[in-house]
Amino acid sequence: MNSGRIAIIETLRGKGLFCDADINFARFICREAGPDAGYELYLAAVLVSNAILVRKHICLDSTMLAGDLNSWFSDLTDAGQGAEALRNELRRLPVPENWLEKLAAHKQVSGTPGEFKPLIIKDELIYLYRTWQCEKQLASMIKSRCAGIDPDFNAGAIAGRIKAVSGRFFSGSLFEQNIDWQQVAVFAALHNRFSIITGGPGTGKTTVAAAIVALLFERDLLLRIALCAPTGKAQARLQESLLAETEILHCRREVIEKTLAVPSCTIHRLLGARPDSEEFKYNRQNQLALDVLIVDEASMISQSLMSGLLEALPPQTKVVLLGDMDQLASVESGMVLRDLCLASEINHFSPGLRKAFKVAVNDGMPELPPATGTSSLSDCTVELQISRRFDPDKGIGLMASAIKALSAYPENMEIDAIIKTACSDSTAQVSISSLPDFRKGGLEKALSELLRGQRVIMGESAEKLFPDYLNAENVEAAYDIFRRFRILCSHRRGMYGAETINLLVEKIIRGQHSFSDFYKGKPVMITENCPMLSLFNGDVGLIWPDKNGRLKAFFPGRAGQREDGFFSIEISTLPMFEPAFAMTVHKSQGSGFQNILLILTPDHNSPILSRELVYTAITRAEKHACIWSSREVLAASIRRRTRRCSRLQDYL
């Protein structure tokens, strides 16, 4: 064993390049291997762990490595002399020649996938056994569910009903000469046992979900249907949206009542998550008693969680995934929704489905595009293309569409054109300003000018944003003002991270001389699920005096939960929380605001900066999105596409 090179790797743990788990796993593998262990094995173990735990890949792609470990840490975020010193250390760690051949000789490594060994080599990829097994099982379960149509489906029985049930949305001149992809999505979900409905904000995913549930109950009132989402906030928003859509459905009263009563929960709660355990109550041996499951915000679901969810469902259960494949991926390993969408022929269908659709939706709509390939997901994936929130030719809609349309490796001129268009946006929906200098109080001054109304943001006076909510007559009015605007940060920590911005805004809002932890108007965002209090990770409330003048935490009630719209709890009973003037873009997923300010870190090498992050951030805004960033950093962010190594797309 080359102890010198291994010692260098272990010193990099304290310098932010490897985490404790990476080093401990590599030590474990080499200890199990005994005298045969060497630098090749240690390097494979430490990099596989780093790839999965830190970079969120499913496996390590050995083709990403060349020469030395500078090829793996090409996005070092340190600057100046510190970065160069790390580069020098990494130059002393070569990638061995014929590395995979040498690895295959170790008893801890299998060159034959399926053989039970800690590390698995598949082509030029190195897996942990559990991630290899998970990926194969997930692909197998999806292919099995995609085989054949729903046995209870009858195209003639729903003829005309899709448009009739949601006539307010599935009608109008907008679709007279075009395909109404909302109707196609509803039809596909009824036709298939497994379906994916993707689309950007405002394209009607929850409208489609409501129609699916109602039409299924029209077929059978005894169906066991459930809704779920990765987070408590997303689950609550799905349920609220579904209830709102239900009000305009054209169905029998008993169908409406059943739709209103459909249960909703987080995926972890649905599966019966156990404290301090990765095992769920419901699994392959103990499956859920469900006929239909609709899953929202599927882009946030990791590969392991998606696998666990499908394992816990009987083969005959109909599964519908909703989500935006262009949004940020899961905070854990994998990007399942995007892999599934890329593996399918989106909006292209087999002769059988096209014929059945014509029977069910006979209103002069053009023929559906034919599928040409052999994807396992043929017929299963529909992308909703028309947003009722954004105009694709103006402002936010134009910038979002342009980002989505970029190739994997765009030319500089393409990115420059997007930024130039945003900078000259005549609608004032998007604006880009230089990032204020943190030094000498530049950032604090800029925030103060913004929040105190001395600076106009996105065509709207800043005095209508945060400060005014403190003067509201009651908590309902205060919350209504507060929720119109949010500061979104690319990072959680650092000079421009959400934690720092929250401290600065709190200082500006409250003044220099207030020291109480709780005060009238303090916004709090829950960071853990607490079902007993009906509070979930991501919920935002305000500290506000009750009618007796006592400060309490007020939260908007779930639909049907409180008649007055808000409920309060004692401050002493609050679950874990953090201030909510600013949040990370990741935390904002599933939320919507009238206006947002996006602050990007000045470090253009940060792997967190990506086009998915910019797209997700600007589409949180309904009216105006302001970006504080240098042009160089914004261009680097839009250029960088999130890539997570996986074979799931290939398997499907």
Side-chain angles (χ1 to χ4, degrees), residues 30 72 194 293 299-300 317 326 345 445 458 519 593 603:
C30 289
W72 182 246
F194 182 86
L293 180 65
S299 65
M300 300 169 66
T317 300
D326 294 299
E345 289 190 77
K445 180 181 178 183
M458 306 163 288
Y519 54 89
F593 313 99
D603 181 6

PDB file of all heavy atoms in Angstrom, residues 30 72 194 293 299-300 317 326 345 445 458 519 593 603:
ATOM      1  N   CYS A  30     -10.178  -1.084   2.776  1.00  0.00           N
ATOM      2  CA  CYS A  30      -8.780  -1.549   2.775  1.00  0.00           C
ATOM      3  C   CYS A  30      -8.501  -2.486   3.945  1.00  0.00           C
ATOM      4  O   CYS A  30      -7.731  -3.449   3.818  1.00  0.00           O
ATOM      5  CB  CYS A  30      -7.839  -0.350   2.806  1.00  0.00           C
ATOM      6  SG  CYS A  30      -7.810   0.571   1.253  1.00  0.00           S
ATOM      7  N   TRP A  72     -10.743  15.515 -10.844  1.00  0.00           N
ATOM      8  CA  TRP A  72     -11.959  15.293 -10.054  1.00  0.00           C
ATOM      9  C   TRP A  72     -12.398  16.575  -9.362  1.00  0.00           C
ATOM     10  O   TRP A  72     -13.596  16.856  -9.245  1.00  0.00           O
ATOM     11  CB  TRP A  72     -11.721  14.184  -9.035  1.00  0.00           C
ATOM     12  CG  TRP A  72     -12.919  13.839  -8.188  1.00  0.00           C
ATOM     13  CD1 TRP A  72     -13.075  14.019  -6.850  1.00  0.00           C
ATOM     14  CD2 TRP A  72     -14.137  13.240  -8.643  1.00  0.00           C
ATOM     15  NE1 TRP A  72     -14.306  13.577  -6.433  1.00  0.00           N
ATOM     16  CE2 TRP A  72     -14.989  13.088  -7.513  1.00  0.00           C
ATOM     17  CE3 TRP A  72     -14.608  12.819  -9.881  1.00  0.00           C
ATOM     18  CZ2 TRP A  72     -16.267  12.543  -7.595  1.00  0.00           C
ATOM     19  CZ3 TRP A  72     -15.883  12.272  -9.976  1.00  0.00           C
ATOM     20  CH2 TRP A  72     -16.684  12.137  -8.837  1.00  0.00           C
ATOM     21  N   PHE A 194     -48.448   3.442 -15.294  1.00  0.00           N
ATOM     22  CA  PHE A 194     -47.371   4.325 -14.842  1.00  0.00           C
ATOM     23  C   PHE A 194     -47.283   5.486 -15.817  1.00  0.00           C
ATOM     24  O   PHE A 194     -47.206   5.279 -17.031  1.00  0.00           O
ATOM     25  CB  PHE A 194     -46.039   3.574 -14.810  1.00  0.00           C
ATOM     26  CG  PHE A 194     -44.876   4.393 -14.316  1.00  0.00           C
ATOM     27  CD1 PHE A 194     -44.599   4.491 -12.963  1.00  0.00           C
ATOM     28  CD2 PHE A 194     -44.057   5.078 -15.206  1.00  0.00           C
ATOM     29  CE1 PHE A 194     -43.530   5.245 -12.501  1.00  0.00           C
ATOM     30  CE2 PHE A 194     -42.982   5.837 -14.765  1.00  0.00           C
ATOM     31  CZ  PHE A 194     -42.721   5.921 -13.400  1.00  0.00           C
ATOM     32  N   LEU A 293     -51.756   6.134  -6.796  1.00  0.00           N
ATOM     33  CA  LEU A 293     -50.922   7.067  -6.033  1.00  0.00           C
ATOM     34  C   LEU A 293     -50.453   8.168  -6.975  1.00  0.00           C
ATOM     35  O   LEU A 293     -49.868   7.900  -8.020  1.00  0.00           O
ATOM     36  CB  LEU A 293     -49.706   6.362  -5.427  1.00  0.00           C
ATOM     37  CG  LEU A 293     -48.769   7.270  -4.614  1.00  0.00           C
ATOM     38  CD1 LEU A 293     -49.476   7.805  -3.374  1.00  0.00           C
ATOM     39  CD2 LEU A 293     -47.493   6.535  -4.231  1.00  0.00           C
ATOM     40  N   SER A 299     -39.314  15.829  -9.093  1.00  0.00           N
ATOM     41  CA  SER A 299     -37.913  16.176  -9.350  1.00  0.00           C
ATOM     42  C   SER A 299     -37.094  16.177  -8.066  1.00  0.00           C
ATOM     43  O   SER A 299     -35.867  16.063  -8.107  1.00  0.00           O
ATOM     44  CB  SER A 299     -37.816  17.556 -10.011  1.00  0.00           C
ATOM     45  OG  SER A 299     -38.278  18.574  -9.133  1.00  0.00           O
ATOM     46  N   MET A 300     -37.747  16.291  -6.916  1.00  0.00           N
ATOM     47  CA  MET A 300     -37.052  16.345  -5.630  1.00  0.00           C
ATOM     48  C   MET A 300     -36.794  14.960  -5.045  1.00  0.00           C
ATOM     49  O   MET A 300     -36.195  14.843  -3.974  1.00  0.00           O
ATOM     50  CB  MET A 300     -37.870  17.179  -4.640  1.00  0.00           C
ATOM     51  CG  MET A 300     -38.106  18.614  -5.089  1.00  0.00           C
ATOM     52  SD  MET A 300     -39.330  19.483  -4.059  1.00  0.00           S
ATOM     53  CE  MET A 300     -38.473  19.557  -2.490  1.00  0.00           C
ATOM     54  N   THR A 317     -51.018  -1.174  -8.775  1.00  0.00           N
ATOM     55  CA  THR A 317     -51.279   0.215  -8.372  1.00  0.00           C
ATOM     56  C   THR A 317     -50.889   1.168  -9.493  1.00  0.00           C
ATOM     57  O   THR A 317     -49.784   1.111 -10.020  1.00  0.00           O
ATOM     58  CB  THR A 317     -50.495   0.581  -7.104  1.00  0.00           C
ATOM     59  OG1 THR A 317     -50.887  -0.279  -6.043  1.00  0.00           O
ATOM     60  CG2 THR A 317     -50.757   2.028  -6.698  1.00  0.00           C
ATOM     61  N   ASP A 326     -36.957  20.262 -15.395  1.00  0.00           N
ATOM     62  CA  ASP A 326     -35.900  21.258 -15.527  1.00  0.00           C
ATOM     63  C   ASP A 326     -35.557  21.933 -14.202  1.00  0.00           C
ATOM     64  O   ASP A 326     -34.649  22.769 -14.156  1.00  0.00           O
ATOM     65  CB  ASP A 326     -36.308  22.318 -16.554  1.00  0.00           C
ATOM     66  CG  ASP A 326     -36.420  21.737 -17.953  1.00  0.00           C
ATOM     67  OD1 ASP A 326     -35.400  21.241 -18.461  1.00  0.00           O
ATOM     68  OD2 ASP A 326     -37.517  21.743 -18.519  1.00  0.00           O
ATOM     69  N   GLU A 345     -39.829   9.040 -25.060  1.00  0.00           N
ATOM     70  CA  GLU A 345     -40.129   9.922 -26.190  1.00  0.00           C
ATOM     71  C   GLU A 345     -41.254  10.843 -25.747  1.00  0.00           C
ATOM     72  O   GLU A 345     -42.436  10.539 -25.922  1.00  0.00           O
ATOM     73  CB  GLU A 345     -40.544   9.114 -27.412  1.00  0.00           C
ATOM     74  CG  GLU A 345     -39.420   8.340 -28.058  1.00  0.00           C
ATOM     75  CD  GLU A 345     -39.845   7.769 -29.405  1.00  0.00           C
ATOM     76  OE1 GLU A 345     -39.902   8.523 -30.385  1.00  0.00           O
ATOM     77  OE2 GLU A 345     -40.134   6.569 -29.462  1.00  0.00           O
ATOM     78  N   LYS A 445     -25.641  47.991   2.921  1.00  0.00           N
ATOM     79  CA  LYS A 445     -26.176  49.263   2.424  1.00  0.00           C
ATOM     80  C   LYS A 445     -27.164  49.031   1.286  1.00  0.00           C
ATOM     81  O   LYS A 445     -28.239  49.649   1.238  1.00  0.00           O
ATOM     82  CB  LYS A 445     -25.030  50.152   1.956  1.00  0.00           C
ATOM     83  CG  LYS A 445     -25.491  51.507   1.423  1.00  0.00           C
ATOM     84  CD  LYS A 445     -24.312  52.337   0.941  1.00  0.00           C
ATOM     85  CE  LYS A 445     -24.790  53.673   0.361  1.00  0.00           C
ATOM     86  NZ  LYS A 445     -23.660  54.471  -0.179  1.00  0.00           N
ATOM     87  N   MET A 458     -37.486  46.026  -9.740  1.00  0.00           N
ATOM     88  CA  MET A 458     -38.354  45.350 -10.697  1.00  0.00           C
ATOM     89  C   MET A 458     -39.656  46.103 -10.922  1.00  0.00           C
ATOM     90  O   MET A 458     -40.733  45.522 -10.962  1.00  0.00           O
ATOM     91  CB  MET A 458     -38.650  43.928 -10.208  1.00  0.00           C
ATOM     92  CG  MET A 458     -37.403  43.134  -9.912  1.00  0.00           C
ATOM     93  SD  MET A 458     -37.716  41.674  -8.911  1.00  0.00           S
ATOM     94  CE  MET A 458     -38.057  42.435  -7.326  1.00  0.00           C
ATOM     95  N   TYR A 519     -39.833  38.865  18.176  1.00  0.00           N
ATOM     96  CA  TYR A 519     -40.389  40.209  18.089  1.00  0.00           C
ATOM     97  C   TYR A 519     -41.550  40.181  17.102  1.00  0.00           C
ATOM     98  O   TYR A 519     -41.686  39.254  16.284  1.00  0.00           O
ATOM     99  CB  TYR A 519     -39.320  41.205  17.629  1.00  0.00           C
ATOM    100  CG  TYR A 519     -38.629  40.805  16.347  1.00  0.00           C
ATOM    101  CD1 TYR A 519     -39.122  41.192  15.103  1.00  0.00           C
ATOM    102  CD2 TYR A 519     -37.484  40.005  16.381  1.00  0.00           C
ATOM    103  CE1 TYR A 519     -38.495  40.802  13.932  1.00  0.00           C
ATOM    104  CE2 TYR A 519     -36.849  39.613  15.208  1.00  0.00           C
ATOM    105  CZ  TYR A 519     -37.360  40.014  13.994  1.00  0.00           C
ATOM    106  OH  TYR A 519     -36.742  39.615  12.831  1.00  0.00           O
ATOM    107  N   PHE A 593     -43.906  33.381  -5.268  1.00  0.00           N
ATOM    108  CA  PHE A 593     -43.958  34.738  -4.732  1.00  0.00           C
ATOM    109  C   PHE A 593     -44.243  35.699  -5.881  1.00  0.00           C
ATOM    110  O   PHE A 593     -44.005  35.373  -7.044  1.00  0.00           O
ATOM    111  CB  PHE A 593     -42.626  35.110  -4.071  1.00  0.00           C
ATOM    112  CG  PHE A 593     -42.094  34.045  -3.141  1.00  0.00           C
ATOM    113  CD1 PHE A 593     -41.113  33.160  -3.568  1.00  0.00           C
ATOM    114  CD2 PHE A 593     -42.595  33.902  -1.858  1.00  0.00           C
ATOM    115  CE1 PHE A 593     -40.626  32.168  -2.739  1.00  0.00           C
ATOM    116  CE2 PHE A 593     -42.129  32.912  -1.017  1.00  0.00           C
ATOM    117  CZ  PHE A 593     -41.147  32.042  -1.446  1.00  0.00           C
ATOM    118  N   ASP A 603     -18.456  33.324  -6.482  1.00  0.00           N
ATOM    119  CA  ASP A 603     -17.539  32.252  -6.874  1.00  0.00           C
ATOM    120  C   ASP A 603     -18.116  31.468  -8.049  1.00  0.00           C
ATOM    121  O   ASP A 603     -18.951  30.589  -7.881  1.00  0.00           O
ATOM    122  CB  ASP A 603     -17.300  31.332  -5.676  1.00  0.00           C
ATOM    123  CG  ASP A 603     -16.334  30.206  -6.005  1.00  0.00           C
ATOM    124  OD1 ASP A 603     -15.776  30.212  -7.121  1.00  0.00           O
ATOM    125  OD2 ASP A 603     -16.142  29.325  -5.168  1.00  0.00           O
TER     126      ASP A 603
END
